[in-house]
Amino acid sequence: QLMDLFGGVPLVEDTELKTRPRATRTEIFDFIESELKAVRAALPETRPAGEHGRVTRGAADALLANMYLNAGVFRSDGPVNPTSYNSCSTVTIGGVSACQLAINYSDSILNSSAGYVLATDWRSNFTATNNTSKENIFVVNLLNATDLGLNFLMRALHYNQLNAPTPWNGFATIAEVYNAFDANDQRRDAFLVGQQINFDNNQPAKDRAGNPLIFTVSIADERAATEAEGARLAKWPSDPNHVNQEHGNDFAFFRLAEIYLIKAEAQLELGSQAGLTLVNTLRARVFEPDEPLAGPLTRDIILQERLFELAGEAKRRQDLIRHGKYTRAWEFKPLSDAHTVLMPIPQGQIDANPELTQNPGY
């Protein structure tokens, strides 16, 4: 995450307390790669229930597959191209294309004896009992207990959609995202629009003035949104046994569905359309009747399918940067902000370590 957000960071492999300069982003990439490859053979394919959430070989393989797919960004010590695709096909590691390495580690997961399988019910990957999902590869193990739970619903729901405590009514989705989903796509149901209910008692919810709470798709002014404007993401449904804001739904860093999409994208970059079958396999479980893509598979289709499958799962920023679409001409992010593909180094860190250098543009 440090490499993804900030680029190069200090690399410390001893316990000496001293200031250190930033390693290059490529050096950090190489270090993470070497650590994962060194440990993966010693990691178990599966863990007993009491070790749920601990790293497995599948987790290491997923991290490696993702790193190789993003190698065009992660192994760049110069400016990342903000307006064109940064392909893994431009990077060779140990004489092998990074795209092929992404495919290889995806296949390791697909062929794993851990028995990863796509959940028949897409929503089961996100419920309070999703710890049993065979699709989830690497998760944060969360509990419906004080300070140990998932509070995503707390952030999104209206003040009157839980009995206690009061939700924050904070996060909404822009209409562009919601409208991109096909009306028949079950994954669109992860967003709340229209008449709302209280998640604890299933009674119609009301706004603060006592009127029916009806979420709109559009937000007239993002700087002055009203309490009912914007679709709300409820991908992780309410835990019926939640303790205040703490829900027991696990958060997955990696699911098998994403491995399908990583492999499909890497195959496309190597000139193969084989990934179309993988994409249509994911679509088949969320459309009734099925609505397969006819092809050909393109980068734009891959990016769109990643939105549909992974919305809200902390993937979009990385995807948009890789596809050269993170910086674009709109009101709050003009094209002159291309440097924002990297976050600024916090000033407090620079104050504590004068050997750090700030990222360009800040």
Side-chain angles (χ1 to χ4, degrees):
Q1 292 214 25
L2 288 172
M3 175 183 67
D4 182 13
L5 295 174
F6 301 105
V9 294
L11 179 58
V12 181
E13 297 186 78
D14 57 58
T15 58
E16 184 179 359
L17 295 177
K18 65 177 184 180
T19 62
R20 303 171 192 259
R22 297 176 69 176
T24 67
R25 201 179 202 185
T26 300
E27 289 170 339
I28 297 298
F29 181 102
D30 291 345
F31 172 75
I32 299 171
E33 178 195 31
S34 66
E35 290 287 285
L36 288 170
K37 291 172 70 174
V39 75
R40 68 176 296 278
L43 289 170
E45 293 271 20
T46 61
R47 296 276 191 180
E51 296 181 3
H52 177 63
R54 293 192 65 187
V55 173
T56 61
R57 188 177 304 171
D61 288 344
L63 282 162
L64 284 165
N66 183 68
M67 284 176 58
Y68 291 132
L69 183 68
N70 287 280
V73 175
F74 289 166
R75 284 182 59 87
S76 174
D77 291 313
V80 172
N81 193 318
T83 57
S84 66
Y85 187 83
N86 296 275
S87 177
C88 53
S89 66
T90 64
V91 179
T92 300
I93 302 174
V96 182
S97 165
C99 292
Q100 186 60 54
L101 291 170
I103 294 169
N104 294 348
Y105 282 95
S106 295
D107 283 340
S108 179
I109 293 169
L110 296 173
N111 299 322
S112 170
S113 63
Y116 300 114
V117 293
L118 294 177
T120 303
D121 178 6
W122 179 79
R123 292 303 299 271
S124 67
N125 293 307
F126 311 102
T127 64
T129 57
N130 66 346
N131 60 297
T132 63
S133 172
K134 295 297 290 182
E135 181 171 332
N136 290 337
I137 298 170
F138 183 34
V139 304
V140 182
N141 181 15
L142 296 162
L143 305 173
N144 52 357
T146 302
D147 298 328
L148 296 176
L150 188 75
N151 62 15
F152 283 9
L153 268 182
M154 180 72 170
R155 305 180 195 189
L157 293 186
H158 182 272
Y159 313 108
N160 295 330
Q161 282 185 279
L162 287 178
N163 290 342
T166 301
W168 307 341
N169 199 36
F171 297 136
T173 301
I174 60 176
E176 175 187 2
V177 169
Y178 180 80
N179 290 332
F181 284 76
D182 189 293
N184 295 323
D185 190 339
Q186 295 176 21
R187 295 170 296 192
R188 193 176 75 158
D189 296 339
F191 297 94
L192 303 179
V193 297
Q195 174 64 55
Q196 296 302 302
I197 62 167
N198 181 294
F199 275 60
D200 284 335
N201 59 26
N202 291 317
Q203 296 301 305
K206 297 181 179 181
D207 64 19
R208 285 178 290 180
N211 301 309
L213 175 64
I214 300 174
F215 285 151
T216 65
V217 173
S218 298
I219 303 172
D221 183 348
E222 291 90 344
R223 295 162 296 190
T226 65
E227 62 183 293
E229 285 188 293
R232 312 303 165 92
L233 184 63
K235 197 169 192 175
W236 295 266
S238 180
D239 179 352
N241 298 311
H242 71 89
V243 175
N244 293 325
Q245 71 266 30
E246 310 291 350
H247 295 248
N249 319 52
D250 287 347
F251 178 84
F253 279 121
F254 288 104
R255 296 189 286 116
L256 186 63
E258 185 180 3
I259 303 306
Y260 276 47
L261 291 166
I262 288 174
K263 182 176 179 179
E265 187 171 340
Q267 287 175 322
L268 180 64
E269 290 307 299
L270 294 182
S272 171
Q273 284 286 311
L276 183 62
T277 299
L278 296 172
V279 172
N280 280 331
T281 298
L282 297 182
R283 290 175 61 87
R285 67 171 173 170
V286 293
F287 283 93
E288 183 60 48
D290 193 11
E291 294 186 18
L293 299 173
L297 197 62
T298 65
R299 289 169 175 170
D300 285 344
I301 289 174
I302 286 282
L303 182 61
Q304 196 82 319
E305 289 298 322
R306 286 186 66 91
L307 169 65
F308 300 150
E309 184 65 35
L310 302 169
E313 296 184 54
K315 306 293 182 178
R316 196 61 177 171
R317 173 187 166 275
Q318 196 175 90
D319 291 347
L320 290 174
I321 290 173
R322 183 174 69 257
H323 282 259
K325 296 185 177 181
Y326 183 70
T327 58
R328 56 181 182 167
W330 66 299
E331 184 177 2
F332 301 111
K333 185 181 279 295
L335 284 171
S336 60
D337 284 351
H339 65 280
T340 59
V341 296
L342 288 178
M343 300 290 185
I345 306 298
Q347 187 59 48
Q349 297 297 317
I350 295 175
D351 292 342
N353 181 5
E355 293 192 64
L356 290 178
T357 56
Q358 184 57 276
N359 282 327
Y362 294 105

